[in-house]
């Protein structure tokens, strides 16, 4: 009887090993998708599936290039522009003009910094697969609107509603 028990244990052990091998070998293989490459002249088309991988790659590249351009222009304005001009003029009019120029330039830089933040949010939405869809209604924003304003978060109707609400609250 002991020989039979040993044989059964061996059989059970080998079955357990083969079952565990089968379980590990049947895991779904996560093939790392090769990044989709698009030509530099590619433009999203309405006849393609909305927000397909090509569209996402196109808008990601467009947003990243836009961000690089804004950062470069901000750096040039901050380090090479007239902002670091500390010369004090004896003429009051010249001083006022210089102050106004610097103020306008700083406002432009601040707007660009806010735009860079919006670009980062749009890039995050691309990663989350929510880019191109309205944050309020979840409807497609539309390729034409995204081509004109890649950081758009709302459909035109939802954007108008938001602007109307902002105006009402600003008047209070």
């Amino acid at each position: 009887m002991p020989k039979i028990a040993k044989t059964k244990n061996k059989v059970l052990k080998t079955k357990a090993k083969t079952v565990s091998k089968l379980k590990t070998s049947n895991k779904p293989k996560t093939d790392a998708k090769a990044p989709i490459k698009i030509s530099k002249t590619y433009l999203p088309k309405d006849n393609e599936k909305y927000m397909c991988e090509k569209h996402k790659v196109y808008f990601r590249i467009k947003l990243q290039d836009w961000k690089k351009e804004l950062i470069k222009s901000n750096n040039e304005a901050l380090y090479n522009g007239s902002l670091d001009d500390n010369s004090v003029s004896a003429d009051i009019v010249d001083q006022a003009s210089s102050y106004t120029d610097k103020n306008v330039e700083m406002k432009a830089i601040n707007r660009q910094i806010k735009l860079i933040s919006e670009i980062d949010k749009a890039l995050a939405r691309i990663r989350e697969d929510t880019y191109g869809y309205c944050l309020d209604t979840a409807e497609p924003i539309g390729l034409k609107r995204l081509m004109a304003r890649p950081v758009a978060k709302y459909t035109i109707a939802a954007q108008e509603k938001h602007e109307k609400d902002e105006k009402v609250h600003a008047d209070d």
Side-chain angles (χ1 to χ4, degrees), residues 61-76:
I61 290 170
K62 187 171 184 165
L63 288 164
Q64 288 171 339
D65 289 346
W66 192 14
K67 181 179 174 180
K68 286 177 191 173
E69 183 182 310
L70 288 171
I71 290 171
K72 183 180 176 185
S73 68
N74 278 356
N75 288 339
E76 287 174 1

Side-chain angles (χ1 to χ4, degrees), residues 28-160:
K29 293 181 181 178
T30 54
D31 293 333
K33 290 183 181 178
I36 293 178
K37 296 188 180 194
I38 57 172
S39 69
K40 292 187 180 203
T41 58
Y42 172 78
L43 289 174
K45 297 172 187 73
D46 288 330
N47 61 356
E48 296 172 327
K49 183 182 175 214
Y50 186 72
M51 280 304 127
C52 63
E53 286 302 312
K54 279 186 172 182
H55 290 184
K56 291 176 192 174
V57 169
Y58 171 81
F59 285 111
R60 183 182 321 112
I61 290 170
K62 187 171 184 165
L63 288 164
Q64 288 171 339
D65 289 346
W66 192 14
K67 181 179 174 180
K68 286 177 191 173
E69 183 182 310
L70 288 171
I71 290 171
K72 183 180 176 185
S73 68
N74 278 356
N75 288 339
E76 287 174 1
L78 287 171
Y79 299 114
N80 302 330
S82 62
L83 291 176
D84 58 353
D85 186 22
N86 291 328
S87 63
V88 178
S89 176
D91 188 17
I92 294 174
V93 175
D94 286 344
Q95 286 178 358
S97 177
S98 176
Y99 174 76
T100 303
D101 290 345
K102 289 177 186 177
N103 198 13
V104 167
E105 201 167 343
M106 282 304 294
K107 285 182 181 180
I109 289 171
N110 285 336
R111 276 195 306 272
Q112 289 178 341
I113 289 170
K114 288 179 184 175
L115 184 55
I116 289 169
S117 172
E118 289 297 316
I119 291 171
D120 287 337
K121 291 176 186 174
L123 289 169
R125 287 194 305 273
I126 289 174
R127 285 189 297 274
E128 297 164 357
D129 286 333
T130 59
Y131 182 80
Y133 296 93
C134 181
L135 296 181
D136 281 351
T137 63
E139 294 176 10
I141 292 173
L143 288 176
K144 287 182 182 178
R145 177 159 168 75
L146 290 172
M147 295 288 286
R149 187 76 175 159
V151 293
K153 300 183 279 189
Y154 304 108
T155 59
I156 293 173
Q159 182 68 38
E160 288 172 350

